[in-house]
Amino acid sequence: MTSTDREVTVEQCPGGPLLVRGADIIRDAEGTAHDVTRPLVAVCACGKTGRPPWCDGTHKALRRPT
Amino acid sequence: MLLPQPRGPISHGVVRLLKDDRDEPAALTGGDEGDLQDDDLQLALWMLFELHYRGFADVPAGREWDLDLLRLRAELQERLEQELRSRTATAVAEALTVPEADFPERLTALIDAADGPSVAGYLQRDATRDQVVDFMRQRSIYHLKESDPYSFVLPRLEGAPKTALAELQYDEYGAGQPHRLHQTMFGDALEGCGLDREYGAYIDQASALTLATSNVASLFALQRRLRGAALGHFAAFESTSSVPCRKIARGIRRVGLPDVVAAYFDEHVEADAVHEQVAVRHICGALVEQEPALAEDVLFGAAACLAVDALAGERLLASWASSDSPQGESSLMRAAASPTSG
């Protein structure tokens, strides 16, 4: 596959992370580059993850009624 | 792996049939606590299912399709399925009545509503090193064939859910790198605990519920009729992994086990955050879109996974609470032998 036909897709999971397919690097707000090591990655969208920029499931604690 | 030690008349009958020592299969009897906690029945079923995975070194490979064994398996499967259906009927009925929800939302609501005891929380904060090792030993029964059951479902699907399941399995199977194969990573973790990494090494120490955890996945995945339940089971399994794995990894580091042990759980924090979404949305959501009639079975499979997990967690914590866990003997096995101890 050449770089010209490479497509990156993003899917917002309701109440959950962004699923990103086809990326090589995710660059965070501070400009730090994070290598992508799997075909599909879940990027944190709630801002509460303990392993930024990746989702670690913490969003569930936010939506769970107490 | 060699055949395990029988634990009662049913497993004894299975061992005799496997060794071609012709005998009438044993009459089926059950314990007072139901089939899920019946050591004899769960071990018998586990052996019968195992013929379709890696098998036993002391059993001829051709016995996989022996008619007497298949007939017995069908009877035991039926019992287990009925028990699971009755245990999960309320949860499934509630999920079906969630108003104005699309299917992934229904499935997520069912999974979020499950309220099992937190084995991961206990491992994180309180478990002794021996208890963590005990946990790893029990987990080895499933994790050394982790996600293998669901590979049987692939040829029974078409289109989008098939592509999504194949993608998920590709990741489970190491994404092209053998050392990243999750089963291999779990073997590395066992070695890091000073345990035997060989497949089935701890089968004689596995509790009824440890065997049941593995059996329920096989029950669903080996029957095309139950493909919806198999995928719902997978979705619940993946959706209840990421957060617990983070806690377990902390517990492993707290008791001073080597990093290779925690690495398996670290990998699952990230991997299962992805797999959960893929399983709920791309696999189960897409399957139900294709075949709406499977919605109830998908929910059933998820509820069954959660119910068995909750029961297994309850028994594991109870066995630890009541035991002084001597070296080399699983506290669970002793709890299973004397049900009143829980």
Side-chain angles (χ1 to χ4, degrees):
Chain A
M1 192 184 281
T2 66
S3 59
T4 51
D5 59 14
R6 185 68 181 253
E7 187 176 274
V8 175
T9 60
V10 178
E11 178 187 354
Q12 168 72 65
C13 303
L18 295 165
L19 287 185
V20 179
R21 181 190 302 282
D24 293 320
I25 287 172
I26 300 286
R27 195 174 295 283
D28 66 25
E30 281 77 47
T32 309
H34 301 268
D35 285 343
V36 171
T37 57
R38 50 184 93 243
L40 187 63
V41 288
V43 175
C44 172
C46 74
K48 304 290 184 196
T49 181
R51 300 167 70 88
W54 315 119
C55 170
D56 69 352
T58 300
H59 59 271
K60 290 184 195 187
L62 304 178
R63 71 172 180 235
R64 191 181 287 268
T66 50
Chain B
M1 171 179 37
L2 296 172
L3 280 169
Q5 290 300 316
R7 299 186 191 178
I10 308 173
S11 52
H12 188 73
V14 169
V15 166
R16 293 193 67 159
L17 284 171
L18 286 171
K19 288 184 166 167
D20 209 7
D21 186 1
R22 286 288 146 180
D23 203 354
E24 282 301 301
L28 301 182
T29 52
D32 297 340
E33 292 182 277
D35 293 343
L36 284 170
Q37 298 186 63
D38 186 326
D39 267 292
D40 185 32
L41 184 143
Q42 292 299 336
L43 182 66
L45 201 45
W46 190 87
M47 288 189 283
L48 293 167
F49 285 140
E50 186 53 34
L51 299 175
H52 302 286
Y53 293 94
R54 325 270 172 94
F56 302 94
D58 48 352
V59 173
R63 307 209 70 71
E64 180 181 358
W65 300 106
D66 180 279
L67 292 178
D68 288 333
L69 290 166
L70 291 172
R71 195 175 299 116
L72 180 59
R73 194 186 108 191
E75 285 176 45
L76 299 177
Q77 283 183 161
E78 173 68 20
R79 273 174 61 164
L80 182 56
E81 184 181 340
Q82 288 316 315
E83 176 167 350
L84 292 169
R85 286 205 185 266
S86 73
R87 276 181 185 268
T88 58
T90 310
V92 171
E94 278 173 9
L96 283 169
T97 58
V98 173
E100 292 176 42
D102 67 9
F103 188 76
E105 285 167 354
R106 277 187 208 289
L107 182 54
T108 303
L110 180 145
I111 295 168
D112 283 356
D115 198 16
S118 180
V119 172
Y122 180 81
L123 290 169
Q124 179 184 351
R125 291 183 300 269
D126 304 312
T128 63
R129 187 182 167 117
D130 280 352
Q131 287 170 340
V132 175
V133 172
D134 196 16
F135 168 81
M136 294 294 288
R137 202 185 282 118
Q138 293 294 325
R139 281 289 184 104
S140 71
I141 304 303
Y142 178 70
H143 286 294
L144 290 174
K145 64 173 168 198
E146 180 177 344
S147 88
D148 278 345
Y150 313 105
S151 291
F152 286 116
V153 185
L154 273 169
R156 297 161 186 171
L157 303 176
E158 59 181 24
K162 180 177 219 152
T163 303
L165 178 58
E167 178 174 58
L168 204 165
Q169 292 293 65
Y170 180 69
D171 209 32
E172 290 282 343
Y173 289 150
Q177 301 176 81
H179 71 280
R180 301 294 296 172
L181 179 65
H182 286 181
Q183 301 168 3
T184 300
M185 290 180 73
F186 196 81
D188 296 341
L190 287 173
E191 261 180 16
C193 294
L195 295 172
D196 189 341
R197 69 181 301 152
E198 198 188 326
Y199 185 79
Y202 296 106
I203 191 61
D204 285 328
Q205 282 87 49
S207 73
L209 281 159
T210 291
L211 297 169
T213 299
S214 184
N215 285 343
V216 173
S218 299
L219 168 80
F220 295 153
L222 285 168
Q223 299 185 76
R224 189 175 65 83
R225 173 177 66 85
L226 295 174
R227 62 196 179 283
L231 298 179
H233 188 275
F234 200 13
F237 192 90
E238 296 293 319
S239 297
T240 50
S241 170
S242 193
V243 172
C245 281
R246 190 176 61 204
K247 294 180 179 173
I248 295 166
R250 283 191 194 140
I252 286 166
R253 294 195 165 95
R254 179 181 57 76
V255 300
L257 285 162
D259 257 0
V260 66
V261 185
Y264 170 88
F265 295 94
D266 287 338
E267 158 69 10
H268 282 72
V269 174
E270 246 173 71
D272 291 344
V274 181
H275 294 177
E276 164 180 357
Q277 302 297 337
V278 172
V280 169
R281 303 164 59 77
H282 301 171
I283 299 176
C284 293
L287 178 74
V288 169
E289 215 164 280
Q290 278 178 353
E291 297 189 79
L294 292 182
E296 189 169 342
D297 262 6
V298 174
L299 296 170
F300 162 55
C305 176
L306 300 167
V308 175
D309 262 13
L311 199 56
E314 207 175 280
R315 290 306 298 258
L316 185 57
L317 291 175
S319 73
W320 284 337
S322 68
S323 83
D324 46 357
S325 199
Q327 292 276 331
E329 184 189 5
S330 162
S331 51
L332 257 177
M333 269 300 279
R334 290 183 300 123
S338 54
T340 50
S341 70

